[in-house]
Amino acid sequence: MTPPPPPRGRRDSEDDLEHVLLRRRRRRERGKGNRKRRTTLIFVALVILVLVVIASGVGAVARFRSDCDLQTLTAVQNGQNSFVYAATGTLLGSIPAERNRTPVALWRVSPWMRKATVAIEDHRFYEHGGVDYVGIARAAWKDLRAGHVVQGGSTITQQLVRNLYISKERTLKRKLKEACLAIKLSRARSKDWILAQYMNQVYYGNHAYGIEAAAQTYFSKHARNLTLDESALLAGLPQAPSSYDPLHRPATAIERRDSVLRAMRDYGDISLGQYRRAVAQRNLRLRPGKLYTRIREPYFFSYVRDQLIAEYGASTVRTGGLRVYTTINPRLQVAARRAIVDTLYLRNDPAAAVVSINPANGAIRAMTAVTPGRTGNQFNLVAQARRQPGSTFKTFVLTAAIAQGMNPSSTYYVSAPFHYQPDPYTAAWDVQTYDHSYLGSVSVTSATLASDNTVYAQLTLDVGPEKVAQMAHKLGVLSHLDVVPAMGLGADAISPLEEASAYATIAAGGVYSKPMAIRKVVLANGKEDTDAGWGQPQRKRVISDGVAYEVTKILEQNVLGGTGVGAYFGRPAAGKTGTTDNHADAWFSGYVPQLETTVWVGYPQGEIPMENVHGISVAGGTFPATIWRLFMEATLQNSPALSWQSPRDPVVWRSFTQGQYGSSLRPSSNYYYYSPTTSTGTTTTRQTTPTRTTPATTGRTVTTVPPPPPPPPEPPPPPEPPPPPAPPPPPPPPPPLPEP
C-alpha cells in the first residue's frame, strides 16, 4: 500500500529547512572564495616585499635611498620621567607625566628578560641582518594556511625603527622603508645596542614605556631583579598591552606568559624543569608600583616643580629625564611633622606649616605642612598661602628704625590706646594692645618684648610706612605691600617662606640669600646644567651687621622673657610672636646662628578664629612657639650652641625724630613724644620738664622735651598672652613617622 502523503504543514517545514541549509552552504563557499582571494593577495604582497627588501639591501631601488638614510632622520623623542631627590639622595618623587619611562643600560636588565624578549619577538635576532627573510617566509606560510594574518614578520630591529623613526601606518611604502632602515641600522649598531634601545622604547601598557618603567609599574622592582616568570609576563605584553593587561585581565595575561615560556623552552633558553615550575605558578604576584605616582614631600615637591617649569618649561620637566637634587633634609622633614602632630593632634585642630632656612646660603632645609584630618596637596601652605603675619612684622619696623639710628633702649613712647586721624577725610585708626593693658612711658625695647601695638603704631608712623615696606622687601618679602600705617602691625599678607627668608637675612648679619631649593640638575644626557645657576647662592648685603645685631639682641630677650618664652630651649635664640586680631593666624619666627625657622598655624580654608583650640585662644606664643621649640630641639640636638658674632660695623646712634610723620619739622637732638588720644577723645600728656609745644601737621599732639635720664628698671612685660600649660598627650600618642 502506498503510504499516505505527509500533512501539508510538515512538507512545507522540510522544504524550508532545505532552503536554509542550501543558503548556508552557499555562504560557506563564498567565504572560502574570499579567504582564498585574501590569502592570494597576502602571499603576493609578502613575495613582493621579500623581493623588494632583498633589492633594497643591495641598493637596487634608488627611489627609496633618499628616505632610507639614518643620517637624515631624527629619532622620535618618547621622553623620560624627571625625578627629584633630597639632599641625602633619597627619592622624593617623579614629576607626573603622560608617559612613564626610565631608560637603563642593557646590563641593568635581567638576563631572563632579555632571553624572553628575543624568544617571543625575534628568536633569530642574533643571526639575521635586521630583516629575517626566513621569518618572513615562515610567517607568510602560516598566514596562507590560516587564511588571514596570524604572525608578523617584523624583527626587533624593524620594530625599533618603527618606534624611533617612522610612523606606524600600514602601507607597503612604509614596510619597505622600515625594512631598508632596519638593514642599515643593523649594520651601524651592535645587536646589544639595538636590543637595549628596543627594550627602553617599547610600550608595556599602563603608561609604562621601557622595561624599567614596566618592572616598576607591575612589580615595584628594578628591571635587573625580574625573575623568569615575571620576565615572561612582561615580554608578552608589547604585542597587545591592553589585551594582555595583567592588572585587569590576569587570566589572559597568564596564557600569554605561558606562550612566552614555551617559546623559551623550545629555543633552549630554559630547561623543561624550569618551564614546568614557571607555568605551575598561577599567581602573578603583582605589586603595582608607586614610583611614578608617589610624592614624599608634596609641599616642597610642588615648589621645586614650579621652579623647574619656570626654567625649562612644562614639557621638558615632565618628559626631559631630569635628575633634580635638592636642599631638603629628610631628617628635618620628619622632625617638622613630628613637632606639628605632637602639638596639634586632634582631628579638628588647625593646620600648621613649617619652613626652615640656612641663613648662610638660603638653602631650604625643611618645608612641610600638616592639616589634621585631611590628606593631599591641593595648595602649598608654605610657599603659596599668604596670610597676615601679625606682630612678627614688627621686626621689620624695628629694623628700619634702628637703620635710621634710633636707639631702642633710650627711645620712649607712651603705651596707651592710640587714635590716629590725620584729617577729617581719612578714616580713623584706633589701636589697642592685645590684652588691653598698657605700660605708660616705655622704651621701644620693652615695647617689643610686650609686643605693644600702640607703641609700634606710633613707631611705624615715625619711621614711615614707605621705609618699612622698603625694609621688608630688602630683607626678603616679595609680596606686594600696601603702604599704610597699619602695615607695621602685620596688616599685609605674606607667605611663611617670605617671612622665613626675611628673618634669615637678620640671622645672617644683614646678608640676604635668595631661598634655594635646588642644588643641581643633571640632564638626560648625564651632564650637569651649569648655566642655570643651580646651587650657587645668590647673596647680597642689605643692612649692616650692626643693625642686624641690635635687632637680634632684642629678639633674644624676647625669647628669654618676652612673648616668645614658649620657644626657649636652652641656647642662644632670637624670635618674635605674631597673632592677628581675630586669632585667625598665629606665627612664630625665630633663629639661631645656623638655622632660621618660621611656624604658621591657622585654618587653610579661610580666616577662621582659633579661639578654642585645646581650650585656649591660639596666639603666637602658644602652639606656634611650641612647634618651633620641638623642631629646633630635634634638629639641633647634635649641633653646637653658637653665640652671636659681634658686628664689624656697629650702629652709630643718631637723633630719631618722633611725631614727625607727614610734617616738615627737621630732626633735632631732642626726643619727641606722642600724647596719644584715648578712646573717649581725651588727650593723655606725659609730665616732663618744662616743654615747648610744636604744632604737628598730622593732627597729633607732639611734645618736645630734652633727652630724659635713663629710666628706672622696668618690670618684665607680660607675654602675649602667657603660654598655656603643656597640652595633655593624645590618647593614644601618634605613631612614629618613618623617615622618607
Side-chain angles (χ1 to χ4, degrees), residues 101 155 208 232 236 298 300 367 396 466 666 729 737:
R101 180 170 177 266
T155 64
F300 180 73
M367 177 188 284
F396 310 145
E466 296 91 348
R666 293 174 299 175
L737 295 174

Side-chain angles (χ1 to χ4, degrees), residues 1 22 81 125 176 234 258 278 344 420 463 469 477 485 527 534 607 622 664 677 686 696 731:
M1 297 180 59
L22 179 62
N81 290 79
F125 171 69
L176 294 176
L234 296 184
D258 292 349
L344 298 169
Y420 174 70
V463 172
V477 175
K527 296 182 179 179
W534 303 119
E607 296 186 357
T622 61
S664 59
T677 306
R686 177 174 179 235

Side-chain angles (χ1 to χ4, degrees), residues 690-706:
T691 64
R692 60 180 177 86
T693 303
T694 305
T697 60
T698 60
R700 293 175 284 154
T701 302
V702 182
T703 308
T704 306
V705 300

